Amino acid sequence: MFEKLVVSLVLAASLWSAPASAEEPSDAGARKAAQAFDADQLDGELFEFESTEGKVVVMSFWASWCAPCLQELPHLDRMATDYAEQGLIVLAVNTDGPETLSGVRSIVNRKKWTMPVLLDSEGAIANLYNPRGTNPFIVFVDRNGQIVSSHEGYAPGDEAEHEALIKRLLAE
Amino acid sequence: MRSLLVALLLLFASSAYAEDATLSATNTFTAEVRGDNQNGTEGDDDYTAVINRLTLKGVTGALSAGLRVDAFGFSPSPTPDFEDDVILERFELRFRQKPWTLVGGDFYQQLGRGIALSMRKEDQATIDTTLQGGLVELKTREHHAAVFGGRANPANLDEISQHFIEDTNDVMAGGLYDFTQLEAFDTGVYGVFITPTEKLLGERTKQHTEGIYVDLNGLTKHAALYLEVDLQHRELLGQSCSFFEEDCSGKAAYAALDLSFGDFSVLAEGITLEAFEQRGSRNTALNRSFEYNQPPTLERIDQEVSPMRDVQGARLKAEVTFLEQDLLFTVDGVYKEIEPDSPARVVLMHGFGGGEYSFQEGRSRLSASSGYRQEATDKATVKTMVHGEADYLQWLWSKLSLHLSARHESRTLEDDPFVRGSALLGVEWTGLGSLTFEFGYDTQNPSADVANEFYAGIATLELMDNLSARLVGGTQRGGLRCIAGVCRDYPAFSGVSGTLVARY
């Protein structure tokens, strides 16, 4: 049994030699393909990931009870507007379960967000991109549909780094 | 093991032979040294734990594969409930060719608002049960249909108690059809059939649940309405009864109305559950049945919620904003009756309100709230709680910010008063991490061998974009904690814990 555990840990440890930093997006060759999905939006419309082809996509996983999420999303909504013409799409992927889902609409209305709000109550999108199920969690996808980087958590100032990365991806 | 081989073969074959194939991994490694947590109970002290969770995903065109391997070991094992193992916890093969999606292996499934079925991952509440089997789904702008079947597959390590959970193999099958009209009118029907593996006299041997919902999410600019009704029939071992007999049937209804007028919004919710349950076989870590549904609780996410089986209740929440949404005021009131037709009826009332102010272009915020909660039977008051919370995040300059968070609860339980709370003071440096000091207190158990005050240091480090660490040292209070309607008795923590998260 203990040998199995050691093998597992060695396999896991090999991952930690991975490259890339927050400031420098990974090389194009090292990027991972983003998986396509369909999801219901808060307004009832169907969102199809294929509709983002050729655009830079930012997915932000959030929940109504997550204070850092609610602090980060207004910055992302502002960027969605500022860089829309250059090809940016920001998706606010809501992960509220059925017990708190009813509070989502009032937040979106109150904040007057214009970015699409996707409902992922059962965790189908999180299963593809955010296997740890954390909030907030942000994923950056380039124009070729490749995942460039991801980031867990939010602290004031993160939005400046996110914006810098978005500008670089839009310029590619 | 056969499923592991198939999944691995497909995963790596796709990576090796397809030009557009990519492989990604997420690994979470935790090591803990636990001392005596002074909670007055044996069996959770003085041991070392090593837990690793590796998730791999491979994608090539329309096909993707994934697996998760959990490994855990304890030394010395405090009780036989702690087991060492390496387990293929999840595997999944997914094929998507619009409008079809086919899934074989582990997947999450929810019906309606979770009253009939909610198989999902809720990390905050350490819920993680999948359906292991097959799913066929059709999704277009107007139609959404799915059929699914398989066995319930709970994660085998209970992350709170760290006890081993045996697989239940409860069998489930179901389907749904949803029709969207003009993007404003959404209606659906669904059904699910469950057969728990464990057969106990007087308990159900199989149960089926059907439901229907209507979601009017865009009828007008200012209003949205959701309505759901569910009916259930259970067959009991050693008994036969008709659909209308109380022991064998359950009923549920839920409604939510959202009204929004500029800076003012109102949410009204109501729920009634009458002998409605979606229980499976016994959870060996908790010694109670798995619950495969998660109805709306009408409550704040952190409240101690009574079992949602026989409940009637309503909630009204109002919010108003000023200063271009930077200043928010909220009031929230909940009224619920638990087991309303029983002599043991409990009436719950909870009222609270607060405000939140965001400033410095959203980089800083201050929020505060307080309220009163009471649970009473016809004869006596069972629980009361006066609570207050405050959260202050101040951006200082550049990448540095200061975070202060505190909550206090003055409670009574059957007239015995006690206080409980915590305060956290931390500094956060964007891109580097954070350092936090935590103080907690809980006077519910005054015994000399039970700790009442807790001190801990928490450090988070962003070592690289794909590598982060979290270290906790000291003591943290345990007790009953409820998240998202799921209440668990957390053991107090004493010792050192380190977690490394790597993504590649």
Side-chain angles (χ1 to χ4, degrees):
Chain A
M1 160 57 219
F2 198 73
E3 290 81 1
K4 285 184 185 175
L5 192 59
V6 169
V7 170
S8 174
L9 295 179
V10 169
L11 179 61
S14 66
L15 298 171
W16 295 336
S17 60
S21 73
E23 305 300 327
E24 295 295 327
S26 53
D27 294 331
R31 296 178 183 181
K32 318 292 181 191
Q35 283 182 267
F37 59 86
D38 297 324
D40 292 324
Q41 298 184 51
L42 186 64
D43 61 8
E45 236 183 291
L46 181 70
F47 175 84
E48 296 167 291
F49 191 78
E50 284 83 353
S51 66
T52 66
E53 197 175 326
K55 300 194 171 182
V56 171
V57 181
V58 175
M59 277 181 274
S60 178
F61 292 82
W62 69 286
S64 63
W65 41 265
C66 166
C69 303
L70 299 180
Q71 198 169 11
E72 180 178 44
L73 282 165
H75 297 294
L76 296 175
D77 189 53
R78 193 258 309 157
M79 290 177 214
T81 306
D82 289 354
Y83 301 107
E85 287 187 3
Q86 295 172 50
L88 174 68
I89 292 185
V90 177
L91 306 172
V93 184
N94 178 264
T95 61
D96 276 81
E99 69 289 339
T100 52
L101 192 58
S102 61
V104 173
R105 189 180 302 275
S106 62
I107 290 173
V108 174
N109 287 342
R110 167 162 47 88
K111 300 273 188 181
K112 298 183 170 61
W113 291 336
T114 55
M115 59 191 163
V117 177
L118 311 188
L119 300 178
D120 190 34
S121 197
E122 66 190 20
I125 308 173
N127 188 42
L128 302 178
Y129 291 95
N130 180 14
R132 277 168 46 81
T134 47
N135 289 303
F137 184 79
I138 192 166
V139 181
F140 298 89
V141 180
D142 69 14
R143 292 186 191 271
N144 297 318
Q146 303 289 307
I147 298 170
V148 177
S149 85
S150 57
H151 184 260
E152 196 174 299
Y154 171 78
D158 275 344
E159 70 280 357
E161 298 200 0
H162 295 341
E163 190 163 5
L165 177 55
I166 287 168
K167 283 180 179 173
R168 279 202 292 274
L169 294 177
L170 289 170
E172 283 183 356
Chain B
M1 188 51 71
R2 190 181 302 161
S3 55
L4 167 63
L5 291 173
V6 170
L8 279 172
L9 197 64
L10 284 168
L11 186 71
F12 294 109
S14 66
S15 297
Y17 292 106
E19 283 184 5
D20 61 342
T22 55
L23 184 67
S24 60
T26 302
N27 193 78
T28 306
F29 171 76
T30 302
E32 293 182 345
V33 178
R34 295 197 176 214
D36 181 0
N37 59 11
Q38 293 186 287
N39 64 348
T41 59
E42 305 287 329
D44 60 357
D45 302 325
D46 302 316
Y47 68 96
T48 301
V50 177
I51 300 167
N52 195 79
R53 178 182 292 173
L54 174 65
T55 303
L56 294 172
K57 298 266 183 197
V59 184
T60 173
L63 183 69
S64 67
L67 62 85
R68 191 180 106 194
V69 178
D70 286 1
F72 39 89
F74 306 93
S75 178
S77 183
T79 71
D81 294 324
F82 293 77
E83 291 186 18
D84 302 348
D85 214 335
V86 178
I87 296 173
L88 174 67
E89 192 59 80
R90 302 277 182 262
F91 70 92
E92 174 203 29
L93 289 170
R94 185 172 180 267
F95 178 75
R96 183 172 180 274
Q97 186 72 52
K98 281 182 73 60
W100 296 94
T101 301
L102 310 176
V103 180
D106 289 280
F107 58 94
Y108 298 104
Q109 187 67 50
Q110 183 177 297
L111 296 172
R113 288 286 166 98
I115 297 171
L117 184 71
S118 181
M119 307 280 284
R120 56 191 295 271
K121 183 176 165 67
E122 177 60 81
D123 263 23
Q124 298 282 319
T126 66
I127 296 172
D128 188 2
T129 301
T130 60
L131 195 54
Q132 193 173 69
L135 166 73
V136 179
E137 187 175 38
L138 167 81
K139 202 159 192 173
T140 67
R141 289 193 177 275
E142 288 188 339
H143 306 280
H144 178 204
V147 290
F148 57 85
R151 67 174 191 110
N153 181 28
N156 292 104
L157 179 68
D158 177 47
E159 293 195 23
I160 296 172
S161 65
Q162 297 186 335
H163 291 177
F164 191 83
I165 301 174
E166 300 286 350
D167 284 328
T168 64
N169 296 314
D170 292 346
V171 175
M172 298 184 187
L176 66 91
Y177 173 69
D178 178 284
F179 177 65
T180 301
Q181 182 67 37
L182 302 174
E183 294 167 359
F185 179 84
D186 190 5
T187 184
V189 292
Y190 49 78
V192 61
F193 173 83
I194 300 177
T195 303
T197 308
E198 198 174 58
K199 311 291 186 194
L200 298 173
L201 197 63
E203 294 280 322
R204 62 254 164 263
T205 56
K206 50 189 168 184
Q207 59 215 40
H208 59 88
T209 307
E210 290 77 35
I212 183 168
Y213 69 84
V214 178
D215 192 354
L216 306 169
N217 49 37
L219 265 191
T220 76
K221 191 180 171 187
H222 304 290
L225 177 66
Y226 180 89
L227 299 167
E228 178 178 325
V229 175
D230 299 273
L231 295 172
Q232 181 177 70
H233 179 65
R234 303 182 289 270
E235 289 187 16
L236 308 182
L237 190 65
Q239 293 180 38
S240 61
C241 55
S242 75
F243 186 84
F244 300 100
E245 285 184 54
E246 204 169 280
D247 285 350
C248 300
S249 66
K251 304 177 192 74
Y254 170 75
L257 174 66
D258 266 294
L259 298 171
S260 178
F261 302 96
D263 294 323
F264 181 71
S265 63
V266 174
L267 168 66
E269 281 183 285
I271 193 167
T272 174
L273 299 172
E274 195 178 312
F276 196 94
E277 59 186 17
Q278 202 62 290
R279 289 195 295 166
S281 298
R282 191 171 53 95
N283 180 327
T284 50
L286 303 180
N287 205 21
R288 68 178 190 226
S289 299
F290 275 98
E291 291 175 4
Y292 297 131
N293 67 338
Q294 203 176 359
T297 62
L298 316 185
E299 302 246 23
R300 226 167 61 163
I301 193 167
D302 58 349
Q303 294 304 300
E304 288 180 14
V305 177
S306 301
M308 296 290 286
R309 183 184 187 277
D310 288 281
V311 173
Q312 290 177 356
R315 171 203 197 188
L316 192 65
K317 180 182 179 185
E319 294 176 326
V320 61
T321 60
F322 302 96
L323 305 176
E324 297 182 339
Q325 296 87 52
D326 284 341
L327 181 62
L328 164 75
F329 290 105
T330 306
V331 290
D332 201 325
V334 179
Y335 177 89
K336 285 205 295 193
E337 293 188 8
I338 296 119
E339 296 189 39
D341 301 322
S342 149
R345 181 181 79 126
V346 173
V347 174
L348 180 155
M349 287 181 284
H350 189 188
F352 56 96
E356 181 180 319
Y357 178 51
S358 297
F359 50 104
Q360 292 180 322
E361 296 179 334
R363 292 194 178 101
S364 300
R365 71 165 189 271
L366 172 65
S367 66
S369 62
S370 66
Y372 175 74
R373 182 184 175 94
Q374 175 181 296
E375 292 177 45
T377 65
D378 291 339
K379 295 174 183 169
T381 300
V382 182
K383 293 180 186 175
T384 66
M385 176 176 73
V386 177
H387 62 92
E389 305 83 24
D391 191 67
Y392 176 46
L393 179 68
Q394 176 64 56
W395 175 66
L396 298 173
W397 69 87
S398 183
K399 298 181 174 184
L400 188 66
S401 51
L402 182 74
H403 195 176
L404 174 64
S405 183
R407 62 180 302 142
H408 174 81
E409 297 169 356
S410 291
R411 293 170 171 253
T412 63
L413 177 61
E414 293 173 347
D415 292 332
D416 287 333
F418 63 98
V419 294
R420 183 183 288 171
S422 59
L424 294 97
L425 175 64
V427 288
E428 298 173 0
W429 186 280
T430 302
L432 182 64
S434 65
L435 195 60
T436 304
F437 171 73
E438 178 182 354
F439 168 65
Y441 54 93
D442 186 342
T443 63
Q444 184 174 14
N445 190 336
S447 304
D449 61 340
V450 173
N452 298 123
E453 294 181 357
F454 307 87
Y455 304 89
I458 304 163
T460 62
L461 285 169
E462 292 185 34
L463 302 167
M464 289 189 286
D465 185 38
N466 56 0
L467 182 62
S468 61
R470 185 174 193 269
L471 297 167
V472 179
T475 58
Q476 291 178 305
R477 87 181 155 83
L480 191 68
R481 285 189 210 167
C482 302
I483 295 166
V486 178
C487 295
R488 292 292 310 275
D489 199 9
Y490 283 65
F493 176 79
S494 174
V496 179
S497 171
T499 300
L500 274 170
V501 179
R503 293 188 179 84
Y504 179 65

